[in-house]
Amino acid sequence: MARSLVIKVTAGADAPERCNQAFTVAAAALASGVPVSLWLTGESSWFALPGRAKEFTLAEAAPLEDMLDAVLAAGRVTLCTQCAARRDITVDDVIDGVRIAGASTFVEEALGEGVQALIY
């Protein structure tokens, strides 16, 4: 049975190490051939906007922009519907390839066969 990861990142620049850990795990999993669905929620919602990941820096960490690009290229990136609405982010604002979906979609993905859900 194939395994996959659903990773929800709730932190952004407010908790940079926790944020970076989620993106690092997502990128490492993809590099290992594991399917990944990355969910941007809370303060990480801002990374769905063009240029925002490039602004994020953390010493000794891979560039967040590169890791996000990797997930966009080989996995799936979803922005939480409510989180987007609270920040006035619309589908027209987000990076190409980012979808906006809600809790029911997250639950459906997380409860899929062979799925491991991680929340940072």
PDB file of all heavy atoms in Angstrom, residues 3-8 22-39 67 70-78 99 109 115-116 118:
ATOM      1  N   ARG A   3       1.912   4.994   0.810  1.00  0.00           N
ATOM      2  CA  ARG A   3       1.657   5.918   1.922  1.00  0.00           C
ATOM      3  C   ARG A   3       1.784   7.336   1.403  1.00  0.00           C
ATOM      4  O   ARG A   3       2.526   7.611   0.465  1.00  0.00           O
ATOM      5  CB  ARG A   3       2.692   5.709   3.034  1.00  0.00           C
ATOM      6  CG  ARG A   3       2.718   4.343   3.665  1.00  0.00           C
ATOM      7  CD  ARG A   3       1.708   4.149   4.762  1.00  0.00           C
ATOM      8  NE  ARG A   3       1.587   5.295   5.623  1.00  0.00           N
ATOM      9  CZ  ARG A   3       1.614   5.253   6.947  1.00  0.00           C
ATOM     10  NH1 ARG A   3       1.785   4.127   7.552  1.00  0.00           N
ATOM     11  NH2 ARG A   3       1.459   6.343   7.660  1.00  0.00           N
ATOM     12  N   SER A   4       1.067   8.257   2.036  1.00  0.00           N
ATOM     13  CA  SER A   4       1.175   9.664   1.683  1.00  0.00           C
ATOM     14  C   SER A   4       1.089  10.498   2.952  1.00  0.00           C
ATOM     15  O   SER A   4       0.681  10.009   4.005  1.00  0.00           O
ATOM     16  CB  SER A   4       0.081  10.064   0.692  1.00  0.00           C
ATOM     17  OG  SER A   4      -1.197   9.921   1.275  1.00  0.00           O
ATOM     18  N   LEU A   5       1.487  11.766   2.820  1.00  0.00           N
ATOM     19  CA  LEU A   5       1.451  12.699   3.945  1.00  0.00           C
ATOM     20  C   LEU A   5       0.521  13.855   3.649  1.00  0.00           C
ATOM     21  O   LEU A   5       0.536  14.404   2.544  1.00  0.00           O
ATOM     22  CB  LEU A   5       2.845  13.282   4.212  1.00  0.00           C
ATOM     23  CG  LEU A   5       3.855  12.438   4.958  1.00  0.00           C
ATOM     24  CD1 LEU A   5       5.193  13.172   5.035  1.00  0.00           C
ATOM     25  CD2 LEU A   5       3.368  12.115   6.358  1.00  0.00           C
ATOM     26  N   VAL A   6      -0.264  14.211   4.638  1.00  0.00           N
ATOM     27  CA  VAL A   6      -1.021  15.456   4.636  1.00  0.00           C
ATOM     28  C   VAL A   6      -0.414  16.272   5.770  1.00  0.00           C
ATOM     29  O   VAL A   6      -0.419  15.847   6.923  1.00  0.00           O
ATOM     30  CB  VAL A   6      -2.523  15.235   4.869  1.00  0.00           C
ATOM     31  CG1 VAL A   6      -3.245  16.567   4.999  1.00  0.00           C
ATOM     32  CG2 VAL A   6      -3.121  14.417   3.744  1.00  0.00           C
ATOM     33  N   ILE A   7       0.159  17.412   5.413  1.00  0.00           N
ATOM     34  CA  ILE A   7       0.856  18.245   6.390  1.00  0.00           C
ATOM     35  C   ILE A   7       0.134  19.577   6.500  1.00  0.00           C
ATOM     36  O   ILE A   7      -0.040  20.277   5.499  1.00  0.00           O
ATOM     37  CB  ILE A   7       2.324  18.473   5.983  1.00  0.00           C
ATOM     38  CG1 ILE A   7       3.046  17.126   5.886  1.00  0.00           C
ATOM     39  CG2 ILE A   7       3.010  19.418   6.968  1.00  0.00           C
ATOM     40  CD1 ILE A   7       4.435  17.213   5.287  1.00  0.00           C
ATOM     41  N   LYS A   8      -0.294  19.905   7.721  1.00  0.00           N
ATOM     42  CA  LYS A   8      -0.941  21.194   7.973  1.00  0.00           C
ATOM     43  C   LYS A   8       0.049  22.057   8.742  1.00  0.00           C
ATOM     44  O   LYS A   8       0.530  21.673   9.802  1.00  0.00           O
ATOM     45  CB  LYS A   8      -2.212  21.020   8.795  1.00  0.00           C
ATOM     46  CG  LYS A   8      -2.920  22.346   9.065  1.00  0.00           C
ATOM     47  CD  LYS A   8      -4.118  22.177   9.966  1.00  0.00           C
ATOM     48  CE  LYS A   8      -5.332  21.827   9.167  1.00  0.00           C
ATOM     49  NZ  LYS A   8      -6.588  21.992   9.966  1.00  0.00           N
ATOM     50  N   ALA A  22       7.710  22.178   9.009  1.00  0.00           N
ATOM     51  CA  ALA A  22       6.645  21.632   8.170  1.00  0.00           C
ATOM     52  C   ALA A  22       7.060  21.615   6.707  1.00  0.00           C
ATOM     53  O   ALA A  22       6.875  20.606   6.015  1.00  0.00           O
ATOM     54  CB  ALA A  22       5.370  22.455   8.350  1.00  0.00           C
ATOM     55  N   PHE A  23       7.621  22.720   6.233  1.00  0.00           N
ATOM     56  CA  PHE A  23       8.046  22.789   4.840  1.00  0.00           C
ATOM     57  C   PHE A  23       9.201  21.834   4.566  1.00  0.00           C
ATOM     58  O   PHE A  23       9.268  21.218   3.500  1.00  0.00           O
ATOM     59  CB  PHE A  23       8.425  24.223   4.466  1.00  0.00           C
ATOM     60  CG  PHE A  23       7.252  25.099   4.155  1.00  0.00           C
ATOM     61  CD1 PHE A  23       6.576  25.759   5.162  1.00  0.00           C
ATOM     62  CD2 PHE A  23       6.819  25.265   2.848  1.00  0.00           C
ATOM     63  CE1 PHE A  23       5.487  26.573   4.878  1.00  0.00           C
ATOM     64  CE2 PHE A  23       5.732  26.069   2.549  1.00  0.00           C
ATOM     65  CZ  PHE A  23       5.058  26.722   3.574  1.00  0.00           C
ATOM     66  N   THR A  24      10.108  21.689   5.518  1.00  0.00           N
ATOM     67  CA  THR A  24      11.243  20.783   5.362  1.00  0.00           C
ATOM     68  C   THR A  24      10.779  19.338   5.264  1.00  0.00           C
ATOM     69  O   THR A  24      11.248  18.574   4.406  1.00  0.00           O
ATOM     70  CB  THR A  24      12.239  20.951   6.522  1.00  0.00           C
ATOM     71  OG1 THR A  24      12.710  22.301   6.538  1.00  0.00           O
ATOM     72  CG2 THR A  24      13.412  20.004   6.401  1.00  0.00           C
ATOM     73  N   VAL A  25       9.849  18.948   6.127  1.00  0.00           N
ATOM     74  CA  VAL A  25       9.314  17.585   6.084  1.00  0.00           C
ATOM     75  C   VAL A  25       8.585  17.348   4.762  1.00  0.00           C
ATOM     76  O   VAL A  25       8.742  16.295   4.134  1.00  0.00           O
ATOM     77  CB  VAL A  25       8.404  17.308   7.299  1.00  0.00           C
ATOM     78  CG1 VAL A  25       7.620  16.015   7.120  1.00  0.00           C
ATOM     79  CG2 VAL A  25       9.237  17.261   8.575  1.00  0.00           C
ATOM     80  N   ALA A  26       7.817  18.319   4.313  1.00  0.00           N
ATOM     81  CA  ALA A  26       7.103  18.181   3.041  1.00  0.00           C
ATOM     82  C   ALA A  26       8.079  17.991   1.884  1.00  0.00           C
ATOM     83  O   ALA A  26       7.911  17.088   1.056  1.00  0.00           O
ATOM     84  CB  ALA A  26       6.211  19.398   2.794  1.00  0.00           C
ATOM     85  N   ALA A  27       9.106  18.822   1.827  1.00  0.00           N
ATOM     86  CA  ALA A  27      10.086  18.735   0.738  1.00  0.00           C
ATOM     87  C   ALA A  27      10.883  17.429   0.814  1.00  0.00           C
ATOM     88  O   ALA A  27      11.143  16.792  -0.216  1.00  0.00           O
ATOM     89  CB  ALA A  27      11.022  19.942   0.771  1.00  0.00           C
ATOM     90  N   ALA A  28      11.263  17.015   2.019  1.00  0.00           N
ATOM     91  CA  ALA A  28      12.016  15.772   2.184  1.00  0.00           C
ATOM     92  C   ALA A  28      11.167  14.569   1.780  1.00  0.00           C
ATOM     93  O   ALA A  28      11.666  13.628   1.141  1.00  0.00           O
ATOM     94  CB  ALA A  28      12.496  15.625   3.619  1.00  0.00           C
ATOM     95  N   ALA A  29       9.905  14.583   2.144  1.00  0.00           N
ATOM     96  CA  ALA A  29       9.016  13.483   1.776  1.00  0.00           C
ATOM     97  C   ALA A  29       8.883  13.391   0.257  1.00  0.00           C
ATOM     98  O   ALA A  29       8.981  12.300  -0.313  1.00  0.00           O
ATOM     99  CB  ALA A  29       7.651  13.673   2.425  1.00  0.00           C
ATOM    100  N   LEU A  30       8.686  14.525  -0.393  1.00  0.00           N
ATOM    101  CA  LEU A  30       8.585  14.522  -1.856  1.00  0.00           C
ATOM    102  C   LEU A  30       9.863  14.006  -2.496  1.00  0.00           C
ATOM    103  O   LEU A  30       9.810  13.231  -3.452  1.00  0.00           O
ATOM    104  CB  LEU A  30       8.273  15.925  -2.368  1.00  0.00           C
ATOM    105  CG  LEU A  30       6.831  16.372  -2.202  1.00  0.00           C
ATOM    106  CD1 LEU A  30       6.707  17.856  -2.476  1.00  0.00           C
ATOM    107  CD2 LEU A  30       5.915  15.576  -3.109  1.00  0.00           C
ATOM    108  N   ALA A  31      11.003  14.425  -1.964  1.00  0.00           N
ATOM    109  CA  ALA A  31      12.291  13.969  -2.497  1.00  0.00           C
ATOM    110  C   ALA A  31      12.460  12.460  -2.331  1.00  0.00           C
ATOM    111  O   ALA A  31      13.188  11.829  -3.092  1.00  0.00           O
ATOM    112  CB  ALA A  31      13.436  14.711  -1.820  1.00  0.00           C
ATOM    113  N   SER A  32      11.758  11.897  -1.350  1.00  0.00           N
ATOM    114  CA  SER A  32      11.811  10.455  -1.108  1.00  0.00           C
ATOM    115  C   SER A  32      10.732   9.695  -1.866  1.00  0.00           C
ATOM    116  O   SER A  32      10.583   8.489  -1.690  1.00  0.00           O
ATOM    117  CB  SER A  32      11.659  10.178   0.391  1.00  0.00           C
ATOM    118  OG  SER A  32      12.708  10.780   1.114  1.00  0.00           O
ATOM    119  N   GLY A  33       9.933  10.418  -2.660  1.00  0.00           N
ATOM    120  CA  GLY A  33       8.898   9.774  -3.451  1.00  0.00           C
ATOM    121  C   GLY A  33       7.556   9.631  -2.757  1.00  0.00           C
ATOM    122  O   GLY A  33       6.673   8.928  -3.255  1.00  0.00           O
ATOM    123  N   VAL A  34       7.397  10.282  -1.619  1.00  0.00           N
ATOM    124  CA  VAL A  34       6.144  10.205  -0.874  1.00  0.00           C
ATOM    125  C   VAL A  34       5.202  11.310  -1.363  1.00  0.00           C
ATOM    126  O   VAL A  34       5.600  12.480  -1.399  1.00  0.00           O
ATOM    127  CB  VAL A  34       6.396  10.375   0.648  1.00  0.00           C
ATOM    128  CG1 VAL A  34       5.087  10.389   1.422  1.00  0.00           C
ATOM    129  CG2 VAL A  34       7.328   9.280   1.157  1.00  0.00           C
ATOM    130  N   PRO A  35       3.971  10.985  -1.730  1.00  0.00           N
ATOM    131  CA  PRO A  35       3.009  12.020  -2.117  1.00  0.00           C
ATOM    132  C   PRO A  35       2.706  12.932  -0.923  1.00  0.00           C
ATOM    133  O   PRO A  35       2.529  12.455   0.200  1.00  0.00           O
ATOM    134  CB  PRO A  35       1.763  11.231  -2.530  1.00  0.00           C
ATOM    135  CG  PRO A  35       2.253   9.854  -2.832  1.00  0.00           C
ATOM    136  CD  PRO A  35       3.423   9.630  -1.913  1.00  0.00           C
ATOM    137  N   VAL A  36       2.627  14.240  -1.180  1.00  0.00           N
ATOM    138  CA  VAL A  36       2.426  15.224  -0.120  1.00  0.00           C
ATOM    139  C   VAL A  36       1.316  16.195  -0.497  1.00  0.00           C
ATOM    140  O   VAL A  36       1.264  16.696  -1.615  1.00  0.00           O
ATOM    141  CB  VAL A  36       3.725  16.025   0.147  1.00  0.00           C
ATOM    142  CG1 VAL A  36       3.471  17.193   1.090  1.00  0.00           C
ATOM    143  CG2 VAL A  36       4.809  15.121   0.708  1.00  0.00           C
ATOM    144  N   SER A  37       0.468  16.454   0.484  1.00  0.00           N
ATOM    145  CA  SER A  37      -0.516  17.523   0.408  1.00  0.00           C
ATOM    146  C   SER A  37      -0.208  18.476   1.558  1.00  0.00           C
ATOM    147  O   SER A  37      -0.271  18.087   2.725  1.00  0.00           O
ATOM    148  CB  SER A  37      -1.937  16.962   0.544  1.00  0.00           C
ATOM    149  OG  SER A  37      -2.880  18.013   0.569  1.00  0.00           O
ATOM    150  N   LEU A  38       0.168  19.703   1.235  1.00  0.00           N
ATOM    151  CA  LEU A  38       0.560  20.703   2.233  1.00  0.00           C
ATOM    152  C   LEU A  38      -0.570  21.710   2.391  1.00  0.00           C
ATOM    153  O   LEU A  38      -0.998  22.334   1.411  1.00  0.00           O
ATOM    154  CB  LEU A  38       1.843  21.413   1.789  1.00  0.00           C
ATOM    155  CG  LEU A  38       2.385  22.498   2.717  1.00  0.00           C
ATOM    156  CD1 LEU A  38       2.845  21.908   4.051  1.00  0.00           C
ATOM    157  CD2 LEU A  38       3.531  23.243   2.038  1.00  0.00           C
ATOM    158  N   TRP A  39      -1.043  21.872   3.610  1.00  0.00           N
ATOM    159  CA  TRP A  39      -2.126  22.807   3.923  1.00  0.00           C
ATOM    160  C   TRP A  39      -1.566  24.031   4.632  1.00  0.00           C
ATOM    161  O   TRP A  39      -0.886  23.909   5.646  1.00  0.00           O
ATOM    162  CB  TRP A  39      -3.169  22.128   4.806  1.00  0.00           C
ATOM    163  CG  TRP A  39      -4.070  21.233   4.029  1.00  0.00           C
ATOM    164  CD1 TRP A  39      -3.747  20.014   3.474  1.00  0.00           C
ATOM    165  CD2 TRP A  39      -5.427  21.479   3.695  1.00  0.00           C
ATOM    166  NE1 TRP A  39      -4.827  19.504   2.813  1.00  0.00           N
ATOM    167  CE2 TRP A  39      -5.875  20.377   2.944  1.00  0.00           C
ATOM    168  CE3 TRP A  39      -6.306  22.520   3.966  1.00  0.00           C
ATOM    169  CZ2 TRP A  39      -7.172  20.304   2.449  1.00  0.00           C
ATOM    170  CZ3 TRP A  39      -7.593  22.436   3.483  1.00  0.00           C
ATOM    171  CH2 TRP A  39      -8.017  21.343   2.734  1.00  0.00           C
ATOM    172  N   MET A  67      11.357  25.335  -1.124  1.00  0.00           N
ATOM    173  CA  MET A  67      10.587  24.185  -0.641  1.00  0.00           C
ATOM    174  C   MET A  67       9.127  24.287  -1.097  1.00  0.00           C
ATOM    175  O   MET A  67       8.523  23.283  -1.498  1.00  0.00           O
ATOM    176  CB  MET A  67      10.701  24.063   0.874  1.00  0.00           C
ATOM    177  CG  MET A  67      12.116  23.697   1.319  1.00  0.00           C
ATOM    178  SD  MET A  67      12.270  23.366   3.086  1.00  0.00           S
ATOM    179  CE  MET A  67      12.160  25.017   3.781  1.00  0.00           C
ATOM    180  N   ALA A  70       8.922  23.287  -4.664  1.00  0.00           N
ATOM    181  CA  ALA A  70       9.022  21.829  -4.808  1.00  0.00           C
ATOM    182  C   ALA A  70       7.675  21.163  -4.557  1.00  0.00           C
ATOM    183  O   ALA A  70       7.275  20.248  -5.285  1.00  0.00           O
ATOM    184  CB  ALA A  70      10.081  21.277  -3.861  1.00  0.00           C
ATOM    185  N   VAL A  71       6.970  21.629  -3.536  1.00  0.00           N
ATOM    186  CA  VAL A  71       5.667  21.039  -3.232  1.00  0.00           C
ATOM    187  C   VAL A  71       4.668  21.386  -4.338  1.00  0.00           C
ATOM    188  O   VAL A  71       3.879  20.544  -4.759  1.00  0.00           O
ATOM    189  CB  VAL A  71       5.151  21.474  -1.852  1.00  0.00           C
ATOM    190  CG1 VAL A  71       3.778  20.874  -1.577  1.00  0.00           C
ATOM    191  CG2 VAL A  71       6.126  21.056  -0.749  1.00  0.00           C
ATOM    192  N   LEU A  72       4.725  22.609  -4.819  1.00  0.00           N
ATOM    193  CA  LEU A  72       3.831  22.997  -5.912  1.00  0.00           C
ATOM    194  C   LEU A  72       4.094  22.162  -7.171  1.00  0.00           C
ATOM    195  O   LEU A  72       3.159  21.815  -7.893  1.00  0.00           O
ATOM    196  CB  LEU A  72       3.987  24.482  -6.242  1.00  0.00           C
ATOM    197  CG  LEU A  72       3.311  25.448  -5.273  1.00  0.00           C
ATOM    198  CD1 LEU A  72       3.825  26.866  -5.488  1.00  0.00           C
ATOM    199  CD2 LEU A  72       1.802  25.390  -5.423  1.00  0.00           C
ATOM    200  N   ALA A  73       5.345  21.819  -7.412  1.00  0.00           N
ATOM    201  CA  ALA A  73       5.705  21.071  -8.612  1.00  0.00           C
ATOM    202  C   ALA A  73       5.338  19.592  -8.521  1.00  0.00           C
ATOM    203  O   ALA A  73       4.952  18.992  -9.526  1.00  0.00           O
ATOM    204  CB  ALA A  73       7.205  21.212  -8.881  1.00  0.00           C
ATOM    205  N   ALA A  74       5.456  19.017  -7.331  1.00  0.00           N
ATOM    206  CA  ALA A  74       5.304  17.570  -7.232  1.00  0.00           C
ATOM    207  C   ALA A  74       4.203  17.107  -6.284  1.00  0.00           C
ATOM    208  O   ALA A  74       3.911  15.924  -6.216  1.00  0.00           O
ATOM    209  CB  ALA A  74       6.632  16.942  -6.793  1.00  0.00           C
ATOM    210  N   GLY A  75       3.623  18.038  -5.544  1.00  0.00           N
ATOM    211  CA  GLY A  75       2.572  17.684  -4.588  1.00  0.00           C
ATOM    212  C   GLY A  75       1.377  18.592  -4.762  1.00  0.00           C
ATOM    213  O   GLY A  75       1.079  19.041  -5.873  1.00  0.00           O
ATOM    214  N   ARG A  76       0.701  18.858  -3.663  1.00  0.00           N
ATOM    215  CA  ARG A  76      -0.473  19.726  -3.694  1.00  0.00           C
ATOM    216  C   ARG A  76      -0.367  20.726  -2.546  1.00  0.00           C
ATOM    217  O   ARG A  76       0.035  20.364  -1.443  1.00  0.00           O
ATOM    218  CB  ARG A  76      -1.744  18.910  -3.555  1.00  0.00           C
ATOM    219  CG  ARG A  76      -2.969  19.793  -3.546  1.00  0.00           C
ATOM    220  CD  ARG A  76      -4.301  19.098  -3.466  1.00  0.00           C
ATOM    221  NE  ARG A  76      -4.283  17.695  -3.174  1.00  0.00           N
ATOM    222  CZ  ARG A  76      -5.103  16.813  -3.741  1.00  0.00           C
ATOM    223  NH1 ARG A  76      -5.959  17.209  -4.641  1.00  0.00           N
ATOM    224  NH2 ARG A  76      -5.059  15.555  -3.389  1.00  0.00           N
ATOM    225  N   VAL A  77      -0.738  21.976  -2.808  1.00  0.00           N
ATOM    226  CA  VAL A  77      -0.755  23.019  -1.786  1.00  0.00           C
ATOM    227  C   VAL A  77      -2.172  23.572  -1.710  1.00  0.00           C
ATOM    228  O   VAL A  77      -2.757  23.952  -2.724  1.00  0.00           O
ATOM    229  CB  VAL A  77       0.243  24.163  -2.089  1.00  0.00           C
ATOM    230  CG1 VAL A  77       0.162  25.245  -1.030  1.00  0.00           C
ATOM    231  CG2 VAL A  77       1.664  23.613  -2.194  1.00  0.00           C
ATOM    232  N   THR A  78      -2.697  23.609  -0.490  1.00  0.00           N
ATOM    233  CA  THR A  78      -4.048  24.090  -0.260  1.00  0.00           C
ATOM    234  C   THR A  78      -4.025  25.183   0.797  1.00  0.00           C
ATOM    235  O   THR A  78      -3.371  25.044   1.824  1.00  0.00           O
ATOM    236  CB  THR A  78      -4.964  22.944   0.228  1.00  0.00           C
ATOM    237  OG1 THR A  78      -4.901  21.867  -0.704  1.00  0.00           O
ATOM    238  CG2 THR A  78      -6.398  23.412   0.376  1.00  0.00           C
ATOM    239  N   ARG A  99      -4.691  25.829  -4.310  1.00  0.00           N
ATOM    240  CA  ARG A  99      -6.151  25.795  -4.276  1.00  0.00           C
ATOM    241  C   ARG A  99      -6.625  26.273  -2.906  1.00  0.00           C
ATOM    242  O   ARG A  99      -5.875  26.259  -1.932  1.00  0.00           O
ATOM    243  CB  ARG A  99      -6.686  24.397  -4.561  1.00  0.00           C
ATOM    244  CG  ARG A  99      -6.418  23.414  -3.439  1.00  0.00           C
ATOM    245  CD  ARG A  99      -7.023  22.057  -3.696  1.00  0.00           C
ATOM    246  NE  ARG A  99      -6.666  21.182  -2.574  1.00  0.00           N
ATOM    247  CZ  ARG A  99      -7.279  20.065  -2.277  1.00  0.00           C
ATOM    248  NH1 ARG A  99      -8.283  19.644  -3.020  1.00  0.00           N
ATOM    249  NH2 ARG A  99      -6.898  19.332  -1.251  1.00  0.00           N
ATOM    250  N   GLU A 109      -9.001  14.187   3.073  1.00  0.00           N
ATOM    251  CA  GLU A 109      -7.617  13.819   2.735  1.00  0.00           C
ATOM    252  C   GLU A 109      -6.937  13.091   3.894  1.00  0.00           C
ATOM    253  O   GLU A 109      -6.269  12.079   3.697  1.00  0.00           O
ATOM    254  CB  GLU A 109      -6.800  15.057   2.383  1.00  0.00           C
ATOM    255  CG  GLU A 109      -7.029  15.580   1.006  1.00  0.00           C
ATOM    256  CD  GLU A 109      -6.034  16.669   0.634  1.00  0.00           C
ATOM    257  OE1 GLU A 109      -4.965  16.788   1.269  1.00  0.00           O
ATOM    258  OE2 GLU A 109      -6.332  17.409  -0.310  1.00  0.00           O
ATOM    259  N   VAL A 115      -2.796   7.278   4.625  1.00  0.00           N
ATOM    260  CA  VAL A 115      -2.400   8.656   4.842  1.00  0.00           C
ATOM    261  C   VAL A 115      -1.934   8.871   6.282  1.00  0.00           C
ATOM    262  O   VAL A 115      -2.541   8.380   7.224  1.00  0.00           O
ATOM    263  CB  VAL A 115      -3.581   9.624   4.548  1.00  0.00           C
ATOM    264  CG1 VAL A 115      -3.202  11.055   4.884  1.00  0.00           C
ATOM    265  CG2 VAL A 115      -4.001   9.506   3.101  1.00  0.00           C
ATOM    266  N   GLN A 116      -0.862   9.615   6.415  1.00  0.00           N
ATOM    267  CA  GLN A 116      -0.379  10.060   7.721  1.00  0.00           C
ATOM    268  C   GLN A 116      -0.542  11.585   7.749  1.00  0.00           C
ATOM    269  O   GLN A 116      -0.027  12.275   6.866  1.00  0.00           O
ATOM    270  CB  GLN A 116       1.099   9.710   7.913  1.00  0.00           C
ATOM    271  CG  GLN A 116       1.704  10.283   9.184  1.00  0.00           C
ATOM    272  CD  GLN A 116       1.143   9.646  10.425  1.00  0.00           C
ATOM    273  OE1 GLN A 116       1.111   8.428  10.549  1.00  0.00           O
ATOM    274  NE2 GLN A 116       0.680  10.456  11.348  1.00  0.00           N
ATOM    275  N   LEU A 118       0.165  15.176   9.614  1.00  0.00           N
ATOM    276  CA  LEU A 118       1.061  15.851  10.552  1.00  0.00           C
ATOM    277  C   LEU A 118       0.624  17.302  10.661  1.00  0.00           C
ATOM    278  O   LEU A 118       0.310  17.919   9.640  1.00  0.00           O
ATOM    279  CB  LEU A 118       2.503  15.800  10.049  1.00  0.00           C
ATOM    280  CG  LEU A 118       3.107  14.431   9.768  1.00  0.00           C
ATOM    281  CD1 LEU A 118       4.479  14.581   9.134  1.00  0.00           C
ATOM    282  CD2 LEU A 118       3.209  13.628  11.054  1.00  0.00           C
TER     283      LEU A 118
END
